[in-house]
Amino acid sequence: MFRKDDQIYEAQENGEFVLLNLRTGQFYGLNHIGSEFWKLLFTTEMSEIHQYFEKAYKADPVIVRRDLEALLSDLIRNGLVHRS
């Protein structure tokens, strides 16, 4: 599982999240799919998240896994998310 960094402020507007890393002052915007991922990330196992996106978007499992892992890597690299 993952946890949000305690220095992240989040706001949702029109179904999309804007994140502010209070440590760095950097803003991050998540599109609709990224925002869905953000909402699931802290309460759902990754395998279930992959299945959700595969079914919801009728997407190729390989592409879903690749894209979500890339997004997760970016979130971790930017200090927004940590492994529990």
Side-chain angles (χ1 to χ4, degrees):
M1 295 293 279
F2 297 90
R3 66 176 175 79
K4 179 176 63 167
D5 187 89
D6 62 353
Q7 292 295 303
I8 302 303
Y9 172 78
E10 64 183 48
Q12 191 173 9
E13 185 173 322
N14 298 325
E16 296 184 351
F17 278 94
V18 175
L19 310 173
L20 170 61
N21 184 330
L22 297 171
R23 292 183 212 286
T24 64
Q26 291 285 344
F27 281 94
Y28 302 88
L30 298 175
N31 65 18
H32 177 73
I33 292 173
S35 294
E36 283 186 84
F37 180 71
W38 181 259
K39 289 188 278 188
L40 294 169
L41 185 58
F42 309 110
T43 60
T44 310
E45 294 293 331
M46 282 301 292
S47 61
E48 294 174 35
I49 294 173
H50 290 150
Q51 290 173 3
Y52 166 78
F53 280 98
E54 289 165 19
K55 289 178 184 173
Y57 294 97
K58 296 177 178 70
D60 182 301
V62 172
I63 294 171
V64 168
R65 184 172 302 275
R66 181 197 66 204
D67 290 353
L68 293 181
E69 292 299 327
L71 175 55
L72 179 59
S73 292
D74 285 345
L75 294 171
I76 291 171
R77 184 176 50 255
N78 287 294
L80 304 169
V81 171
H82 304 283
R83 293 186 190 279
S84 295

